[in-house]
Amino acid sequence: MAPEKASQQPDMETKLESEPKPNQEPEAGDDLDPAKSIKKIRTIVETLHTLFPPQLPNLTKSRSIPPPKSNNQNVSLTPAISAPIGTTSLNHDESENSIHKLKRNLRLLEEDVAKLRVLNEVVGEEVSRHIVPLDKLLQKVEKGTTKSQLTKGMKKDLEDVNKKIFNLMCQVPLLPNRRRKPGGLDSEDGEVENNGKGIECLPAIHVNDEDLKRLAVFRQVKKKFIELTTERKICLLSFAVFPENQEVNRTMLMYWWIGEGILPDGIKPEDAVKDILKEFMEKKLIEPVENKRKVEPNCYKMTPFVHSSVVLISEEIGLFSMYQKGKKPRMKHSDLKKVCLVEESSSQPEAKAKKMPAGDIETVFNVSERFPDFAFKWFSEDQSSGKKKFSPLSKTAYKMLKVFYLGRWERTANRHIEVENPELMKYLKHMTKLKLLSFQGISRIERLDDAVCKLRELIILDLRACYNLEKLPDKIDSLKALTYLDITDCYMIDRMPKRLSWLDNLEVLKGFVVSDATDVETFCLLSELKHLKKLRKLSITINKGGEFTVSQLFVDIQDFSNLEKLKVAWGGINEHNKAESTSGAVKEFIRSMTRLPPNSPVTGPKPHKAPMKAAVPSHLPEKLMKLDLQCFPDAELPSLLEPGKLRTLEKLYIKGGTKLTGFGKSVPEEPTECSVKVLRLKFLPRLKVEWRELRELYFPKLEFLDKYQSPQVSFCPCDGIGIWRDKSTQL
């Protein structure tokens, strides 16, 4: 039974090339064929688009002028002053009207359906190919023509089949395995969990309380726990909600502990968290997750016995109540006002608002639930009053709630989380004392409800990897206390709201987008972030080419007085319509909105452009200590990044840059005064430098080097994975 040749295997990409284009007439089939239905809808939408074309935006608006700021906390929320605009003008953020967006979404859906159809055929062909040889093998075994054990050849054939099946399995997109109640979540029927099916549970050490308490490890953990301060006791017990041996990220812990208000004042939260985790490691309560490419650990885990001891202690004092003897973890309101969402919590009776006393809840943390919509409904009205409706003058407020963490805490994206009804976010306005709001990794959130802007005490807004999120609220400056904003990997966002630069307390901004959008009156420019006097950490994605050069980037950020860490990733230019080739973003936008042919001239008003001067940055931000450049677009570094001028920078990462050839125009004759201690060089095929030049001349203070996929960085004494550490120093 020789395995099939690789060349004969069906390939999904090659089949897609031969597949009919999405706009072609699909073959006759079932009425439920999604491709056929989508085509009918697209025909209707095209007709609507013809009958109701969108208005052209007025491109002659004047530059917005932000209202003056004062030292008083009550910053005016007066709208930005601008020149009068005509009656035909409209807000450009809304210029892509519902018909235009529906066309785009239908096109994307049609492409996905075509891919799924091809994938189904590929799987069918590949699986059917193995039926006959496997059946012959089974017949040999049943007839006794083979020995009691499989031969080496049979084992190899089975292993080949297994690899092919596994590869097919990896091509199938991650789809949630949903199980609903027949009556829906709000149904008054069905008090039985999990549709009446039994829930299996896995045994754990902490299930046998009495046996665990007799162990020396429990007594040791409890002794060390008693020695901790009150705040650090809560920090340690927070590990109880995570599975044993599960890697827990330091940044996630910091966000949570900031929300709980248990970190000390007067010290950076990042440093405070490191001190806490260091003490836990010294006491052998946690252990770092080793990663040779990390200078210091950023993930931690608990061993099973320590974890079980911590779980038992947390249950004894009533901090978390998730575990029950002989049963699967269960969502429950703990004595100390914490609620942890676990898998299938949406099927529990407590998921209903009337059965969850939300008035005194301080923390909602999603441990393993995939569909956490129901948690919003707990805060829809004052449950303690027992009233279903409120008068216009009544106010519903949940002043105890500080942490609302519905997003993903895991480092990987294996758990699919989805909010089916984003309209439920309107209940956020009742969480008046909220400090932490996390939607990390949640799908189907296209935009944040304006209710978010009512969270005046919110410190952390975590929107990382919300792939469907298209925009941030225009009135984001209402979040007066906002300190951490993370919109990393929100690929649908193509511009930042204008008032982002008015967040006076913002210290960490991850995911700022520099795009090729032309309506500068309505979005925030990179240079305007200089008004954020407290900003110390910034990550940027650049989706803009042309005039926005590398030099212009450093001109815009050179006056960020408190910036300590900067990460920049260059991406593609954000085109409004990739199917057409145009000479400019404005022309492309007008053509896409008016349905002009590709070669038709545009005679509408053009924005006035002042003569551009070559941007030359004079210096880096004075406090900058870490610089991370990804997909660097040029062949040479700007002059201010030559190693001899990096006298305050301690960490330099260059990850990706197919054109980059060196660190300067010439190799220095003597060692520079560069202060860089940590250097990462990855995916730099043309960068040519020898170890002696690198270590002795360019970076004489180097203590750590990470070299990967950079073949012309030669003669480096790195280990097998490209890591070198200076043995005379310890980082």
Side-chain angles (χ1 to χ4, degrees):
M1 124 177 201
E4 297 287 343
K5 294 183 180 180
S7 60
Q8 295 178 353
Q9 294 183 24
D11 181 77
M12 184 173 176
E13 294 183 1
T14 56
K15 285 185 69 67
L16 272 174
E17 294 178 359
S18 61
E19 190 73 19
K21 296 182 178 180
N23 58 358
Q24 291 181 351
E25 185 67 28
E27 296 180 2
D30 192 350
D31 292 339
L32 296 179
D33 181 9
K36 188 174 182 180
S37 301
I38 293 173
K39 180 172 178 61
K40 291 181 180 179
I41 296 177
R42 287 192 67 180
T43 303
I44 297 173
V45 173
E46 289 288 349
T47 305
L48 288 173
H49 188 276
T50 305
L51 295 175
F52 301 100
Q55 297 289 335
L56 287 176
N58 190 329
L59 299 177
T60 59
K61 292 191 291 184
S62 66
R63 181 73 171 269
S64 299
I65 305 174
K69 298 182 181 180
S70 64
N71 295 329
N72 193 338
Q73 281 286 36
N74 296 326
V75 180
S76 172
L77 297 180
T78 307
I81 304 170
S82 61
I85 57 179
T87 57
T88 61
S89 66
L90 48 84
N91 187 336
H92 187 70
D93 283 338
E94 303 298 334
S95 62
E96 291 189 1
N97 59 20
S98 57
I99 297 177
H100 183 76
K101 293 182 69 175
L102 182 56
K103 285 178 58 181
R104 180 196 63 186
N105 292 336
L106 283 170
R107 176 177 57 81
L108 295 175
L109 178 60
E110 193 171 33
E111 293 174 358
D112 290 340
V113 169
K115 292 177 182 178
L116 288 174
R117 185 171 62 251
V118 173
L119 177 61
N120 185 59
E121 295 176 2
V122 170
V123 172
E125 292 177 10
E126 177 66 19
V127 173
S128 62
R129 177 175 292 134
H130 302 295
I131 294 177
V132 174
L134 286 175
D135 185 57
K136 290 181 179 179
L137 174 62
L138 178 60
Q139 292 177 9
K140 288 182 180 180
V141 174
E142 290 178 340
K143 293 179 180 178
T145 57
T146 184
K147 298 180 181 179
S148 59
Q149 294 183 350
L150 296 176
T151 64
K152 291 183 179 181
M154 292 178 178
K155 290 181 179 179
K156 184 180 182 302
D157 291 341
L158 288 174
E159 186 62 28
D160 291 340
V161 172
N162 184 47
K163 288 180 180 179
K164 294 175 183 178
I165 298 299
F166 180 79
N167 290 335
L168 286 175
M169 184 182 69
C170 293
Q171 295 184 48
V172 179
L174 180 64
L175 299 175
N177 183 17
R178 300 212 50 185
R179 284 184 284 185
R180 293 172 172 271
K181 285 186 176 183
L185 183 61
D186 295 326
S187 172
E188 299 301 323
D189 304 325
E191 296 293 328
V192 181
E193 299 178 30
N194 197 25
N195 289 332
K197 299 179 181 178
I199 298 179
E200 297 181 358
C201 65
L202 297 177
I205 300 172
H206 58 77
V207 170
N208 301 316
D209 297 353
E210 299 303 323
D211 294 339
L212 179 60
K213 291 179 181 179
R214 286 194 290 266
L215 297 177
V217 64
F218 175 78
R219 295 193 296 270
Q220 292 173 1
V221 170
K222 192 164 187 178
K223 179 182 177 182
K224 295 173 182 177
F225 171 78
I226 295 173
E227 295 171 352
L228 298 173
T229 63
T230 301
E231 290 77 13
R232 296 199 174 190
K233 287 179 180 177
I234 299 176
C235 292
L236 180 64
L237 295 182
S238 63
F239 281 86
V241 306
F242 308 114
E244 59 191 32
N245 271 325
Q246 182 68 44
E247 296 182 11
V248 181
N249 182 259
R250 184 175 64 221
T251 300
M252 185 277 299
L253 291 173
M254 181 188 71
Y255 286 170
W256 188 5
W257 296 345
I258 290 174
E260 297 284 359
I262 54 180
L263 292 183
D265 298 327
I267 181 174
K268 287 183 181 178
E270 291 86 350
D271 295 334
V273 172
K274 287 182 181 180
D275 290 342
I276 294 171
L277 296 173
K278 182 180 179 181
E279 180 181 1
F280 292 170
M281 284 190 293
E282 291 173 349
K283 291 180 177 292
K284 307 296 183 183
L285 295 171
I286 62 173
E287 56 186 37
V289 177
E290 293 187 4
N291 186 339
K292 290 186 177 181
R293 295 196 178 275
K294 297 290 184 182
V295 178
E296 58 182 8
N298 64 351
C299 286
Y300 306 83
K301 63 182 181 180
M302 271 186 175
T303 59
F305 277 100
V306 176
H307 179 265
S308 295
S309 301
V310 169
V311 168
L312 184 55
I313 294 172
S314 70
E315 290 180 340
E316 287 180 344
I317 67 175
L319 184 62
F320 299 109
S321 298
M322 299 167 50
Y323 303 100
Q324 295 176 319
K325 189 172 182 178
K327 294 185 179 181
K328 196 173 181 178
R330 179 185 178 91
M331 177 181 66
K332 187 178 178 182
H333 188 305
S334 73
D335 295 339
L336 295 183
K337 307 167 185 177
K338 314 290 184 185
V339 178
C340 292
L341 311 185
V342 296
E343 188 176 2
E344 298 179 355
S345 290
S346 56
S347 299
Q348 293 184 208
E350 292 85 356
K352 299 173 184 176
K354 68 177 184 178
K355 296 193 176 182
M356 175 59 72
D360 63 345
I361 293 179
E362 294 182 355
T363 301
V364 175
F365 192 92
N366 186 358
V367 178
S368 54
E369 176 57 57
R370 295 175 180 265
F371 304 96
D373 296 60
F374 60 89
F376 287 104
K377 299 181 182 180
W378 293 343
F379 305 96
S380 60
E381 56 190 13
D382 187 358
Q383 300 296 331
S384 62
S385 67
K387 297 180 180 180
K388 294 294 182 182
K389 296 182 180 180
F390 293 88
S391 66
L393 298 178
S394 64
K395 291 184 178 180
T396 303
Y398 295 89
K399 298 182 178 180
M400 299 293 291
L401 186 65
K402 296 182 293 184
V403 175
F404 198 57
Y405 201 113
L406 292 192
R408 187 173 59 229
W409 60 267
E410 302 93 331
R411 289 180 55 79
T412 60
N414 292 336
R415 178 164 59 114
H416 174 86
I417 308 178
E418 182 177 307
V419 169
E420 290 187 298
N421 185 7
E423 295 296 325
L424 295 175
M425 282 196 291
K426 63 185 179 182
Y427 298 134
L428 290 172
K429 63 184 178 183
H430 301 150
M431 307 175 189
T432 55
K433 300 295 182 180
L434 198 64
K435 300 294 190 296
L436 165 60
L437 177 62
S438 175
F439 293 149
Q440 182 175 152
I442 297 182
S443 301
R444 297 187 64 179
I445 298 178
E446 294 186 359
R447 61 181 60 201
L448 297 180
D449 192 275
D450 290 339
V452 173
C453 298
K454 299 183 182 296
L455 306 178
R456 304 300 173 89
E457 298 187 23
L458 189 68
I459 298 175
I460 301 166
L461 180 56
D462 179 13
L463 304 172
R464 188 183 188 94
C466 289
Y467 302 120
N468 300 112
L469 186 64
E470 297 181 2
K471 64 173 295 186
L472 296 176
D474 292 330
K475 297 181 180 179
I476 195 171
D477 59 309
S478 300
L479 303 176
K480 299 298 183 184
L482 193 64
T483 307
Y484 295 83
L485 175 59
D486 191 349
I487 49 176
T488 307
D489 296 336
C490 295
Y491 303 114
M492 298 293 287
I493 295 180
D494 64 350
R495 66 196 70 196
M496 299 289 102
K498 192 70 173 178
R499 297 185 181 185
L500 181 65
S501 62
W502 300 1
L503 292 169
D504 294 333
N505 288 307
L506 195 63
E507 296 182 16
V508 176
L509 173 56
K510 299 180 181 180
F512 185 90
V513 176
V514 178
S515 74
D516 63 347
T518 57
D519 50 334
V520 295
E521 296 87 355
T522 61
F523 68 90
C524 182
L525 301 174
L526 177 61
S527 58
E528 294 175 335
L529 296 184
K530 65 183 178 182
H531 300 300
L532 303 177
K533 300 300 182 182
K534 296 183 180 180
L535 188 65
R536 54 186 175 83
K537 187 172 183 179
L538 173 65
S539 70
I540 305 169
T541 299
I542 298 178
N543 294 328
K544 183 175 183 178
E547 298 168 352
F548 195 84
T549 61
V550 173
S551 294
Q552 183 63 53
L553 163 71
F554 286 99
V555 167
D556 287 350
I557 61 100
Q558 65 184 358
D559 294 326
F560 290 8
S561 56
N562 281 306
L563 190 64
E564 299 174 359
K565 298 181 180 181
L566 174 64
K567 178 179 178 181
V568 185
W570 281 266
I573 298 176
N574 180 26
E575 299 175 353
H576 290 283
N577 188 352
K578 295 184 179 180
E580 298 178 354
S581 175
T582 63
S583 60
V586 176
K587 183 185 294 185
E588 171 63 34
F589 176 73
I590 294 175
R591 183 169 288 135
S592 65
M593 298 299 290
T594 56
R595 296 170 56 91
L596 292 177
N599 297 322
S600 300
V602 177
T603 58
K606 298 181 179 180
H608 174 71
K609 289 188 178 180
M612 296 295 295
K613 295 182 179 180
V616 180
S618 60
H619 60 277
L620 288 173
E622 56 185 12
K623 294 185 179 181
L624 190 66
M625 299 176 65
K626 177 181 177 181
L627 178 61
D628 187 348
L629 306 177
Q630 299 186 4
C631 301
F632 188 76
D634 293 350
E636 297 181 358
L637 293 172
S639 60
L640 82 167
L641 290 185
E642 293 179 359
K645 299 180 181 179
L646 303 178
R647 300 185 180 183
T648 60
L649 198 71
E650 295 185 359
K651 297 180 179 180
L652 175 62
Y653 303 168
I654 307 178
K655 305 174 183 177
T658 57
K659 298 180 181 179
L660 187 63
T661 58
F663 295 108
K665 295 182 179 179
S666 61
V667 179
E669 297 180 357
E670 297 181 355
T672 66
E673 298 182 8
C674 179
S675 60
V676 171
K677 298 179 181 179
V678 180
L679 178 65
R680 299 186 190 274
L681 304 174
K682 297 185 176 183
F683 305 105
L684 303 172
R686 297 186 181 181
L687 179 64
K688 189 173 183 179
V689 62
E690 294 183 1
W691 170 248
R692 185 188 65 82
E693 300 169 348
L694 195 72
R695 178 71 171 86
E696 298 179 6
L697 300 177
Y698 284 121
F699 305 101
K701 297 181 181 179
L702 191 64
E703 299 176 0
F704 179 92
L705 171 65
D706 181 1
K707 182 180 80 77
Y708 185 74
Q709 294 292 322
S710 302
Q712 299 194 62
V713 180
S714 55
F715 302 111
C716 297
C718 299
D719 61 14
I721 62 172
I723 301 297
W724 171 84
R725 295 177 186 265
D726 188 353
K727 296 180 180 179
S728 63
T729 60
Q730 290 186 356
L731 296 175

